[in-house]
Amino acid sequence: MRGICYTFRMRYSKLFGKTIKEAPSDEVAVNAKLLLRGGFIDKLMAGSYTLLHLGRKVEQKIERIIREEMNSTGAQEILMPLLHSKEIWNETGRWDSAREVMYQFKKNDKEYALSFTHEEIVMDLIRKHVSSYKDFPVKIYHFSTKFRDEKRAKSGILRGREFLMKDLYSAHVSKEDMMKYYSQIIEAYKKAFKRMGLDAILTEAGGGVFTKNTTHEFQVIADSGEDEIIYCPGGDFSANAEISPVKEGKQCDLGHGPLKKAKTIEVGNIFPLGTYYSEKMNAMFTDQDGKKKPIWLASYGIGLTRAVGAIVEIHHDDKGIIWPKEVAPYDCHLIEIQNSKFKSFGDGVYEQLKKARVEVLLDDRDDVSVGAKFADADLIGIPVRLVVSAKTGDKIEWKERSKKATELLTIDEIIKKLL
Amino acid sequence: MRGICYTFRMRYSKLFGKTIKEAPSDEVAVNAKLLLRGGFIDKLMAGSYTLLHLGRKVEQKIERIIREEMNSTGAQEILMPLLHSKEIWNETGRWDSAREVMYQFKKNDKEYALSFTHEEIVMDLIRKHVSSYKDFPVKIYHFSTKFRDEKRAKSGILRGREFLMKDLYSAHVSKEDMMKYYSQIIEAYKKAFKRMGLDAILTEAGGGVFTKNTTHEFQVIADSGEDEIIYCPGGDFSANAEISPVKEGKQCDLGHGPLKKAKTIEVGNIFPLGTYYSEKMNAMFTDQDGKKKPIWLASYGIGLTRAVGAIVEIHHDDKGIIWPKEVAPYDCHLIEIQNSKFKSFGDGVYEQLKKARVEVLLDDRDDVSVGAKFADADLIGIPVRLVVSAKTGDKIEWKERSKKATELLTIDEIIKKLL
C-alpha cells in the first residue's frame, strides 16, 4: 500500500480501553460520557484527554478526509513547532492581547508561549521564503496540537485546553486573489464536513483575537452547542447571534419564512485576515510593478478533536454512538456467539474480511454474554454489526446501527456492501 | 485507497520551500545545512524547526515504517496529551529530578510540565484501565511531540528542544513476559531502522533519568555523532563508552579481533523499567493467585525528526542528500528540459506516473537552467532522476542518485522499476 497505513483489524479481547458502565460523575457533556464509556478516550485532567485506540482511529479518519480535501485545493502539508518565543508574538502585540488564553512561561531567562494558533509563526515562515509576486499563492497547512487556557472546560472534547487542529494559511498578492481561494476553501470545508456526517452551516461571525474583519464559522446545530446562530431555514443566511444584524422571527427576504435561532457547535472557522499581520510583521513582496507591498493572509481552522465530539453529539441514541461511515473506527463489528463450531466459522469470516481489507473489530471474548456484546456494539457505534451464530448457519447476520432490521448475507455479499 | 493518504505528486514551481544556495552561517551540522538548503526544514529558533512539505513527507514515510513495525508486534496506536500536571510528575519524584530538561510553568495557580517523555502519563492511564492479570499485556504507542530544554542545540534536527518521537510502552505481569516482548521489539526496531537505511547497532547503555537498569540504545556510526560506542566488528558486542566495561583494542572473546571505538548517533532506545514506576505510582494488578502485584513496565523510543537527521548525516555526498528508497519524499524527480514539444511529452509522463500511483516531483520551472535543475535534484536527493528532453526522444533518461550511469527506458519500464 502507498500512503500512511493504520490498523485494519482488532480483536476486542486484546483492545486496551474497553467499554465501561458509567462515565465519571464529573463529566456532563454527552460526547465525553459516550466517548469515555465506549473506550474512545481517557481523561488526564480537566480539558485534556488521551485518545485511546478507537478514538485515535476516528481522529485519523477525520484527518484523512481533511488532508484529501486540503490537498485537492493545492495546499501543501507542513508541520510547525508548538513552542514559540515571546519576540515573535510581540511583533503583532498578541503576547499581551491574547495573554488570557495563551500559556506563557519563562525558562532560563527566555520567555516562551505554547501554540494557541499559528498566524505569527506562519507569517514569519512565509516572509523568509517569498520575495516576488511569482512566489504566490502560498497554501500551507498542518495538523498539530493547540493549547488554550479555557476558563470552563466542561464540554468534553468540544472545548479542550489541549486539542488537535488542522490549520491552513494562504498568502496572496491581492485581496481578490485571497477571496478567490477563500471561496474555494468554503467549498472544500463543506465537502469535508459532509463526509464527516456534519451538516455545517456557513455563518458570519466576528474575529475574536484574530481579526476585526467579518469572518465565517461552520456551525452545526446541536442542543449542547455553546454558540447560537440566527439563520434562514432556506439556507441563504446565517450569522452568529453575537453579531447578527437581525433577530429570530424576522421574515427572510427571499421568502423562506421567519428566521430561526438555534444552539450550535462551531466546527470550523475561516478568517480573511488581509494585510494586518504582514504590516505588523513587515512581510512584503515585490509586485509586478517593482513596488514592495504587504502580503494578504487568510487562515482556516478545523478542530479535529472537536469534530469527533460534535459527531457524537449529533449521531447518538440512548444506546450509544452511531458513527457515520467515513469516520467510523472500523467498517464493521463482528460478533461471535460462543460455540466452538461457529467460533471457527467466525474466525474464518474475520480472516476473509481482513484479506478483503475491510476494517473489522472482532468481539472474540468468551467470558461475556451475548446481550453484553450487543450492548457494547451499540455503545461503540460501528455502523455495521455482523453476527455469526448457530442460528445464522453458513450465512452472516447483517444489521446497521441506525436501523432495526437484520438480514442474512453471504460473506461475498458483505464484502461487496462494505467496500 | 484505505489508510491515510498524502500527496503523491508535486510541481516544483508550486512548492513552498525551494532550495537555497547557502545555509545560514549559524548552522554547523551537516544534516541541518543540507535539509535547510534542500527546502526540507526551516528554523524557527535554536533547536526548533518547521518541517516544510518535503521534510514532512520524509517524516511521514518514517512514521509509516514505524507504525507498520509496531502494529506487527500487536501494539495499538493512541495519542496522549503534551501538557501535564505537576501532581502526576510528583508521584515518581521526576518533577524535581528531571527539572533541568523539563519545561515547567505555572498558570492561574496550577503548575504544568510539557511532555519530555510519557512514563508517568502512561502508567496513570494503565492503572485506570487494568485490574486483572487477564488484562495483560498492554502495548500502546503514540507519535507525538517532546520538549527538552537542551543546553546545546547545535546538532540541527538531531537534538531539538522540540521534536517528534514515537514512544511505545508495554505493561506486563512478570519480568519474563516483559523481557519476551522487549526482545520482540528489538527485532521490530532492527527491521524499522533497516527500512530507513540505517545500520543500527544494538548497544548496552545507562538509563539516565529513566531507570537504573541497563538499557539498550540503537546507535548508528557517524562522524558527527555525539555518542561513542565500544563495539566488536563481528557484531556480538556494543556498549556506550560511558558504561562500557571494556576498552577499545581489547580482543573480542569470540575471535572477531580487537574492539573498536566509534562516534555514533543514537536513533532509538529501549528501557526495561521493571516495577519502579508502578511501585511509586501504586499501579497494581490482581494475579492468578488473587494477590496484588506491581505492573512491569518497559518503554521504547524512536526519535522521528532525529531519524531524518541521522539519515542525512549518513546518506549524502558533496552534492547533497541521497535518500534511501523507503524514506524518500518522492519516488522520482522528473525534469523537463525546456522545449515546447518535450514539455508536453514531459507532462504526459507526469500524468502516467501519477496514474500508476508513483510519487513524483516534477521540475516544471521554465526560468531555471538545466544545470541548476540537475544541481537541485542532486541536493534534494530523490533516489531516481528522470529526464525528458530532445535527446531522449520518446524514451526517458533514468539515473539513480547514488550512481553515475544513465539509461534510456520506456515509461512502462520506469513504472515497473519504481513500483
Side-chain angles (χ1 to χ4, degrees):
Chain A
M1 191 179 86
R2 305 181 74 74
I4 307 164
C5 70
Y6 45 53
T7 316
F8 287 100
R9 51 194 175 264
M10 180 62 64
R11 284 180 179 268
Y12 198 79
S13 63
K14 308 234 184 232
L15 182 71
F16 177 74
K18 301 259 195 321
T19 57
I20 51 177
K21 283 255 156 59
E22 296 283 342
S25 56
D26 61 331
E27 289 291 351
V28 290
V30 169
N31 72 83
K33 281 186 187 172
L34 288 174
L35 290 166
L36 282 162
R37 285 183 51 213
F40 290 83
I41 61 172
D42 177 85
K43 187 177 193 164
L44 177 61
M45 56 183 174
S48 173
Y49 296 87
T50 288
L51 294 176
L52 298 175
H53 176 72
L54 293 178
R56 175 67 163 152
K57 270 210 80 176
V58 171
E59 179 272 316
Q60 285 175 325
K61 298 262 175 124
I62 293 174
E63 212 175 284
R64 173 185 160 176
I65 291 171
I66 297 174
R67 186 175 275 124
E68 285 175 0
E69 298 302 337
M70 294 303 99
N71 290 353
S72 77
T73 72
Q76 297 171 19
E77 188 175 350
I78 64 169
L79 185 59
M80 291 180 273
L82 308 179
L83 191 60
H84 311 153
S85 71
K86 178 179 179 176
E87 290 74 28
I88 207 157
W89 284 96
N90 261 343
E91 290 192 47
T92 58
R94 286 213 286 184
W95 178 268
D96 293 318
S97 66
R99 183 186 289 274
E100 211 175 313
V101 74
M102 271 172 115
Y103 288 97
Q104 302 177 337
F105 62 95
K106 193 184 247 187
K107 181 157 183 155
N108 295 335
D109 290 329
K110 193 163 163 53
E111 287 187 271
Y112 298 98
L114 294 182
S115 52
F116 86 99
T117 183
H118 276 84
E119 281 81 10
E120 281 78 352
I121 307 306
V122 85
M123 197 80 258
D124 176 61
L125 179 66
I126 292 170
R127 71 182 168 187
K128 285 190 276 182
H129 287 269
V130 299
S131 56
S132 154
Y133 68 94
K134 290 181 190 162
D135 300 328
F136 290 85
V138 173
K139 310 163 187 173
I140 45 185
Y141 71 98
H142 69 170
F143 292 96
S144 85
T145 304
K146 297 283 181 287
F147 303 90
R148 294 185 189 171
D149 191 17
E150 298 285 355
K151 286 255 166 65
R152 43 176 186 169
K154 289 277 176 204
S155 300
I157 62 170
L158 287 181
R159 186 179 288 279
R161 296 212 167 94
E162 174 176 346
F163 56 95
L164 293 175
M165 194 170 178
K166 181 284 302 173
D167 33 330
L168 163 69
Y169 302 88
S170 71
H172 308 271
V173 293
S174 67
K175 183 175 182 179
E176 194 186 6
D177 191 44
M178 177 182 79
M179 292 311 295
K180 200 174 132 196
Y181 188 61
Y182 191 82
S183 303
Q184 209 182 325
I185 289 298
I186 288 176
E187 296 310 311
Y189 268 38
K190 283 184 186 167
K191 260 171 129 176
F193 288 123
K194 197 173 174 192
R195 290 176 64 184
M196 292 176 210
L198 293 173
D199 285 324
I201 300 170
L202 184 68
T203 299
E204 287 180 27
V209 294
F210 291 85
T211 180
K212 284 174 185 157
N213 298 344
T214 297
T215 70
H216 288 94
E217 295 168 342
F218 288 80
Q219 296 279 7
V220 177
I221 295 175
D223 289 341
S224 54
E226 295 180 348
D227 283 10
E228 219 167 38
I229 63 170
I230 308 293
Y231 71 106
C232 164
D236 56 282
F237 171 79
S238 177
N240 192 304
E242 285 175 1
I243 67 141
S244 180
V246 290
K247 289 200 172 163
E248 183 185 7
K250 181 185 176 291
Q251 288 296 319
C252 161
D253 292 342
L254 302 176
H256 294 128
L259 299 181
K260 290 187 175 182
K261 185 154 91 170
K263 287 198 168 182
T264 53
I265 299 168
E266 179 197 328
V267 288
N269 50 25
I270 56 179
F271 302 102
L273 301 167
T275 58
Y276 178 86
Y277 288 86
S278 56
E279 282 170 23
K280 293 264 183 192
M281 295 181 70
N282 195 30
M284 312 291 277
F285 70 96
T286 307
D287 207 352
Q288 279 178 284
D289 55 16
K291 285 190 186 143
K292 292 264 181 207
K293 293 179 183 169
I295 293 168
W296 290 78
L297 185 74
S299 73
Y300 319 84
I302 296 180
L304 277 96
T305 29
R306 174 175 287 198
V308 176
I311 294 166
V312 174
E313 290 286 340
I314 287 161
H315 298 283
H316 73 269
D317 61 17
D318 56 354
K319 291 177 181 163
I321 305 169
I322 307 167
W323 292 108
K325 188 176 158 59
E326 261 208 86
V327 297
Y330 287 88
D331 297 327
C332 63
H333 192 138
L334 175 60
I335 294 178
E336 289 175 342
I337 295 185
Q338 277 320 306
N339 171 316
S340 60
K341 182 179 159 206
F342 293 98
K343 184 161 168 53
S344 82
F345 178 59
D347 286 356
V349 169
Y350 181 58
E351 292 304 321
Q352 281 178 275
L353 291 171
K354 269 166 62 172
K355 226 172 162 178
R357 296 188 86 73
V358 168
E359 297 180 31
V360 53
L361 177 67
L362 170 66
D363 193 342
D364 60 336
R365 292 174 294 177
D366 53 17
D367 54 353
V368 169
S369 71
V370 178
K373 286 188 177 188
F374 283 4
D376 277 350
D378 283 343
L379 175 57
I380 293 168
I382 291 169
V384 172
R385 188 187 78 189
L386 303 175
V387 179
V388 172
S389 74
K391 275 195 251 171
T392 63
D394 56 2
K395 292 204 170 178
I396 301 146
E397 183 191 274
W398 165 288
K399 182 189 168 295
E400 293 172 33
R401 175 65 179 85
S402 57
K403 294 178 185 164
K404 289 212 162 156
T406 60
E407 54 182 323
L408 289 177
L409 299 174
T410 66
I411 181 72
D412 290 340
E413 289 167 331
I414 280 170
I415 289 170
K416 210 172 153 194
K417 284 183 86 152
L418 286 173
L419 283 182
Chain B
M1 191 179 85
R2 305 184 73 76
I4 307 164
C5 71
Y6 44 54
T7 315
F8 286 101
R9 51 195 176 261
M10 180 63 62
R11 285 180 178 267
Y12 198 78
S13 63
K14 308 235 184 231
L15 183 71
F16 177 75
K18 301 262 194 318
T19 58
I20 49 177
K21 282 255 156 56
E22 296 284 342
S25 56
D26 61 332
E27 289 291 351
V28 290
V30 169
N31 71 82
K33 281 185 187 172
L34 288 173
L35 289 166
L36 282 163
R37 285 184 51 216
F40 290 84
I41 61 172
D42 177 86
K43 188 178 194 163
L44 176 63
M45 57 183 174
S48 173
Y49 296 88
T50 288
L51 295 175
L52 298 175
H53 176 72
L54 293 177
R56 176 66 163 151
K57 270 209 81 174
V58 171
E59 179 272 315
Q60 285 175 326
K61 298 264 176 125
I62 293 174
E63 212 175 282
R64 173 186 160 174
I65 291 171
I66 296 174
R67 186 174 276 124
E68 284 175 1
E69 297 303 337
M70 294 302 100
N71 289 353
S72 77
T73 72
Q76 297 169 20
E77 188 175 350
I78 64 168
L79 184 60
M80 290 181 272
L82 307 179
L83 191 61
H84 310 153
S85 70
K86 177 178 179 176
E87 290 74 28
I88 208 159
W89 284 97
N90 260 344
E91 289 192 48
T92 59
R94 287 212 286 183
W95 178 268
D96 292 318
S97 66
R99 184 185 289 272
E100 210 174 317
V101 75
M102 271 171 116
Y103 289 97
Q104 302 176 337
F105 61 96
K106 194 184 250 187
K107 179 155 186 164
N108 295 336
D109 291 327
K110 193 162 163 54
E111 287 187 271
Y112 298 98
L114 294 181
S115 52
F116 85 100
T117 182
H118 275 86
E119 280 81 10
E120 280 79 350
I121 307 305
V122 85
M123 197 80 256
D124 176 61
L125 179 67
I126 293 170
R127 73 183 166 186
K128 285 190 276 181
H129 287 269
V130 299
S131 57
S132 152
Y133 68 95
K134 289 181 190 164
D135 300 326
F136 290 87
V138 173
K139 309 162 187 174
I140 45 184
Y141 71 99
H142 69 170
F143 293 96
S144 84
T145 304
K146 297 283 183 284
F147 303 89
R148 293 185 188 171
D149 191 17
E150 297 285 355
K151 286 256 166 63
R152 44 176 186 167
K154 289 275 175 205
S155 301
I157 62 170
L158 287 179
R159 187 179 287 277
R161 295 212 167 93
E162 174 176 346
F163 55 96
L164 293 176
M165 192 170 179
K166 181 284 302 174
D167 34 330
L168 164 69
Y169 301 88
S170 70
H172 308 270
V173 294
S174 66
K175 183 175 183 179
E176 194 185 6
D177 190 45
M178 177 182 78
M179 292 313 295
K180 201 174 130 194
Y181 188 62
Y182 190 84
S183 304
Q184 209 183 325
I185 289 298
I186 288 175
E187 296 312 310
Y189 267 38
K190 283 183 185 167
K191 261 171 127 176
F193 289 121
K194 198 173 174 191
R195 289 176 64 184
M196 292 177 212
L198 293 173
D199 284 324
I201 300 170
L202 185 67
T203 299
E204 286 180 26
V209 294
F210 292 84
T211 180
K212 284 175 183 155
N213 297 344
T214 297
T215 70
H216 288 92
E217 294 167 343
F218 288 80
Q219 296 278 7
V220 177
I221 295 175
D223 289 342
S224 54
E226 295 180 348
D227 282 12
E228 218 167 40
I229 63 169
I230 308 291
Y231 71 106
C232 165
D236 57 282
F237 171 80
S238 177
N240 192 304
E242 283 175 1
I243 66 141
S244 180
V246 291
K247 289 199 173 164
E248 182 185 6
K250 181 184 176 291
Q251 288 295 319
C252 161
D253 293 342
L254 301 177
H256 294 129
L259 299 182
K260 289 187 173 182
K261 186 154 91 172
K263 286 197 168 182
T264 52
I265 300 167
E266 179 196 327
V267 287
N269 51 26
I270 56 178
F271 302 103
L273 301 166
T275 58
Y276 178 85
Y277 289 86
S278 56
E279 282 169 23
K280 293 263 183 192
M281 294 181 71
N282 195 31
M284 314 291 278
F285 71 96
T286 307
D287 208 352
Q288 279 177 286
D289 54 14
K291 285 188 186 145
K292 292 263 182 207
K293 293 179 183 169
I295 293 168
W296 289 79
L297 185 75
S299 73
Y300 318 84
I302 295 180
L304 277 97
T305 29
R306 175 175 285 197
V308 176
I311 293 166
V312 173
E313 290 286 340
I314 288 161
H315 298 283
H316 73 270
D317 60 18
D318 55 355
K319 290 178 181 160
I321 305 169
I322 307 167
W323 293 108
K325 187 175 157 61
E326 259 207 88
V327 297
Y330 287 89
D331 297 328
C332 63
H333 192 138
L334 176 60
I335 294 178
E336 290 175 342
I337 295 184
Q338 278 319 307
N339 171 315
S340 61
K341 180 180 160 206
F342 292 100
K343 185 160 167 55
S344 83
F345 179 58
D347 286 356
V349 170
Y350 181 57
E351 292 303 321
Q352 281 178 277
L353 291 170
K354 269 165 65 171
K355 225 171 162 181
R357 294 189 87 74
V358 168
E359 296 179 31
V360 52
L361 179 66
L362 170 67
D363 194 342
D364 60 335
R365 291 175 293 176
D366 52 18
D367 54 353
V368 170
S369 72
V370 178
K373 285 189 178 189
F374 282 5
D376 277 350
D378 283 344
L379 175 56
I380 293 169
I382 291 170
V384 172
R385 187 186 79 189
L386 303 175
V387 179
V388 171
S389 73
K391 273 196 252 169
T392 63
D394 57 0
K395 291 203 170 179
I396 301 146
E397 184 191 273
W398 166 287
K399 181 187 170 296
E400 292 173 32
R401 175 65 180 84
S402 57
K403 293 178 184 165
K404 289 214 162 153
T406 60
E407 54 182 322
L408 289 177
L409 300 174
T410 65
I411 181 70
D412 290 340
E413 288 167 331
I414 280 170
I415 289 171
K416 208 171 154 193
K417 283 181 87 150
L418 285 173
L419 282 183

